Amino acid sequence: MRVADLMTREVRTVGPEDPFDEVFLLVVFDKIRHVPVVEKGRVVGIVSDRDLAKVLGPVSKRRSSVVREGKVVLVLPSRRVRHIMSRGVVTIEPDAEVATAARMMVERKIGGLPVVDRDQGLVGIITATDILAAFIDLSASVAGGDGAPPRTASG
């Protein structure tokens, strides 16, 4: 199975000069955990939900929330995406094997890989969730449709 078979093709992206709150909204409200950063058509970084957690800090020490009129209001830092993105982003090509993508994610302890063409242009993203969903589908088809392990002759 190839990466192109599982990747998400419609990818939400941000630019390095976009404000922090733009990527924050994608992660928090659109539930996107990996947001590629694209500049001049090329992937130059990625922002994950973990990157946002680092910027916001632990809830117990967070200075980014204040109480106004009896309500807690989150005050976001006035930073640009370039200040919080991970650089040296690990990418993969669409014709690579899914097992290769999975191995890369496990070895690097990351949850997603931007999928790029030969010119480093973004064509999709593959995540650990995509791979797990395919594994579930494959297991279900092998097991007879319910995802349970195949029964043996003895049981």
Side-chain angles (χ1 to χ4, degrees):
M1 188 177 304
R2 303 277 180 206
V3 168
D5 299 326
L6 300 182
M7 71 183 192
T8 300
R9 285 174 164 61
E10 293 182 25
V11 183
R12 302 286 300 270
T13 66
V14 292
E17 296 305 317
D18 288 342
F20 173 87
D21 59 347
E22 189 167 328
V23 73
F24 176 85
L25 293 172
L26 288 173
V27 170
V28 173
F29 293 107
D30 291 344
K31 306 289 187 223
I32 299 172
R33 295 186 335 188
H34 307 92
V35 183
V37 182
V38 176
E39 184 175 43
K40 297 178 184 171
R42 301 182 77 186
V43 177
V44 295
I46 193 162
V47 178
S48 72
D49 53 348
R50 288 185 281 180
D51 294 324
L52 292 186
K54 287 179 198 171
V55 170
L56 294 174
V59 174
S60 63
K61 296 181 180 179
R62 190 171 292 161
R63 292 186 202 140
S64 54
S65 59
V66 295
V67 177
R68 289 188 188 148
E69 299 176 10
K71 296 181 181 178
V72 176
V73 177
L74 183 64
V75 179
L76 299 176
S78 59
R79 294 182 178 173
R80 300 282 174 204
V81 168
R82 67 181 151 83
H83 294 121
I84 63 165
M85 71 183 194
S86 296
R87 290 171 169 71
V89 62
V90 180
T91 62
I92 195 162
E93 291 189 354
D95 60 346
E97 291 288 333
V98 170
T100 302
R103 188 175 306 106
M104 291 169 68
M105 287 187 228
V106 168
E107 289 172 355
R108 291 171 172 84
K109 295 181 173 36
I110 56 177
L113 296 168
V115 182
V116 297
D117 59 22
R118 296 188 195 283
D119 298 322
Q120 297 301 300
L122 185 68
V123 295
I125 191 165
I126 186 164
T127 66
T129 302
D130 298 326
I131 296 170
L132 286 171
F135 177 77
I136 291 168
D137 291 345
L138 181 61
S139 294
S141 67
V142 169
D146 64 0
R151 294 204 281 193
T152 62
S154 63

